[in-house]
Amino acid sequence: MARVRKTVTIRDVAEEAGVSLQTVSRVVNGGPNVRPQLRDKVQAAIDRLGYVPSLAAQRMSGSRSYIILAINDRERTLADWRERMGTDWVDQMLLGGILTCSKHGYRMMVELVDTHSDHVERELGAALSALQPDGVILTPPHSENALITDLLAARGIPFARIGSDAPGAGIRLTMGDEGAAHLATTRLADLGHRRIAMIAGPAQYSLSGWRIDGWRRALAERGLAHEGLLEVGDFGYDSGTRAAHALLDRNPDLTAIIASSDQMALAALEVARERGLEVPRDLSLISFDNTPIVRFTQPPLTAIDQPIAETVSRAVEQLIARSPDAEDSAVIEVAAALVERASTAPAPGHA
């Protein structure tokens, strides 16, 4: 007969450490007025016994729920899941959020919310009432949706806005999109490219505009034109196909494209093949996102690696440490990086 493992309780920890239940509770919940030596003694007992605090008990012990809620776009996330295209954004969000929450004794939960205005307040309001989170992380485009931010502000719930630098309530975090686009464009210019196009994302995302700004700034610094070299997609493959065709039709001398998502970059790669262009001999490609698939294309794609996990981790840290009367501070920027692979090369004829 299998042995039933005994659940370790807070009383067991108190007896092991030789302290009161109240002292253990204060240590577990990060409370004040516990001497460092006593805190260490209780923590050692917790480690020896393998005690895991009950979330329900923690919530009953004070005003905190020990839950951080992340809000992501339902429509786009479910579309990616159903098409089995992967959702690296969600994976990286969970990686950064869950690990950081766990470190502080919190739990992270994710809700998918429609962007449509007739759904937002009802869906989010129900989630907030059910979970009573200590903080909320908003990802684009929710991070700039006034219906959502106003609702959270009215309820007095701290929140972080990823991908937003607009004035207003909430902790603002960005991933250096303008600088990343500038970096990608400058790298292509260093390789001798003079006709560098961009497939941007939709205007509802501020980051789309930031990337266009970075691209244009880098071109201007090198004395290069941008007219006729911009197309806009929706981050999806089909829009990338249309944009790549339009750019190459309009610019027969085009030698480089920066795509604002991996899906649009994959589409541009396929369009190049259809037209008999070899990447990178005839056309260099740089993508944004750096999801796992870009390592396995032919050729593997050079990409801007977005620090999603680190940014969400910073958001969690800020929300947990935030005092009730804290004022919103300056924008927190977590810089992206360029990962070079085989889809970029010197421009044709450039030594």
Side-chain angles (χ1 to χ4, degrees):
M1 181 176 177
R3 296 178 61 188
V4 178
R5 183 179 178 183
K6 178 180 179 292
T7 300
V8 178
T9 68
I10 191 171
R11 186 175 299 278
D12 296 326
V13 175
E15 291 177 357
E16 176 75 10
V19 299
S20 68
L21 292 174
Q22 291 80 2
T23 298
V24 176
S25 178
R26 285 198 294 272
V27 171
V28 168
N29 294 303
N33 304 321
V34 181
R35 297 193 311 275
Q37 298 90 337
L38 196 57
R39 188 179 299 275
D40 291 344
K41 185 178 182 182
V42 172
Q43 188 59 53
I46 290 172
D47 294 341
R48 283 195 302 272
L49 297 176
Y51 172 66
V52 178
S54 161
L55 187 58
Q58 285 181 292
R59 296 182 72 166
M60 291 174 62
S61 69
S63 59
R64 295 193 177 194
S65 68
Y66 292 90
I67 291 175
I68 299 295
L69 180 64
I71 305 296
N72 209 51
D73 182 18
R74 178 195 298 275
E75 192 171 302
R76 184 175 297 279
T77 303
L78 292 181
D80 285 345
W81 282 342
R82 285 171 179 146
E83 294 176 24
R84 304 184 74 173
M85 293 193 308
T87 50
D88 192 61
W89 169 275
V90 177
D91 292 344
Q92 292 298 309
M93 179 180 71
L94 293 173
L95 172 64
I98 288 175
L99 290 180
T100 307
C101 281
S102 178
K103 184 173 70 174
H104 293 281
Y106 278 68
R107 296 293 181 269
M108 183 177 188
M109 302 189 72
V110 177
E111 286 283 327
L112 302 180
V113 174
D114 280 330
T115 55
H116 306 298
S117 59
D118 57 335
H119 294 209
V120 166
E121 292 178 285
R122 182 181 69 250
E123 291 190 12
L124 182 56
L128 295 175
S129 297
L131 300 173
Q132 299 180 353
D134 291 331
V136 174
I137 296 173
L138 301 176
T139 59
H142 297 320
S143 48
E144 296 188 306
N145 186 327
L147 288 172
I148 293 177
T149 56
D150 289 351
L151 176 60
L152 291 170
R155 294 201 180 193
I157 301 173
F159 59 96
R161 293 188 277 136
I162 294 178
S164 174
D165 67 352
I171 301 163
R172 298 170 293 168
L173 301 99
T174 67
M175 291 184 279
D177 291 274
E178 181 178 348
H182 183 276
L183 174 63
T185 309
T186 299
R187 177 57 183 146
L188 289 169
D190 288 343
L191 290 169
H193 294 276
R194 295 296 175 262
R195 300 288 287 169
I196 304 169
M198 167 166 275
I199 304 175
Q204 70 185 108
Y205 293 78
S206 287
L207 59 86
S208 297
W210 300 336
R211 292 174 186 178
I212 293 172
D213 291 343
W215 166 72
R216 283 181 174 158
R217 180 164 61 88
L219 291 177
E221 289 171 358
R222 296 301 180 95
L224 303 177
H226 68 264
E227 291 80 5
L229 294 173
L230 176 66
E231 285 289 326
V232 175
D234 62 7
F235 295 133
Y237 187 92
D238 291 342
S239 71
T241 299
R242 292 190 295 271
H245 276 302
L247 288 169
L248 290 166
D249 286 343
R250 195 163 59 239
N251 303 279
D253 57 347
L254 189 64
T255 63
I257 295 176
I258 300 169
S260 202
S261 76
D262 285 342
Q263 289 295 323
M264 295 195 296
L266 291 173
L269 179 62
E270 184 58 30
V271 168
R273 287 200 185 101
E274 291 173 1
R275 290 173 171 247
L277 299 174
E278 184 177 325
V279 176
R281 185 195 66 191
D282 305 313
L283 183 71
S284 286
L285 288 177
I286 294 182
S287 177
F288 266 81
D289 293 340
N290 197 36
T291 56
I293 194 171
V294 302
R295 301 197 301 267
F296 305 110
T297 58
Q298 289 298 323
L301 294 180
T302 296
I304 293 293
D305 185 72
Q306 292 192 282
I308 299 166
E310 184 181 351
T311 304
V312 174
S313 176
R314 291 280 294 276
V316 170
E317 295 276 6
Q318 290 285 319
L319 288 170
I320 291 175
R322 188 177 176 86
S323 61
D325 57 349
E327 295 185 1
D328 297 312
S329 57
V331 178
I332 298 169
E333 181 173 298
V334 184
L338 180 66
V339 179
E340 296 204 52
R341 299 191 180 93
S343 67
T344 45
H350 183 78

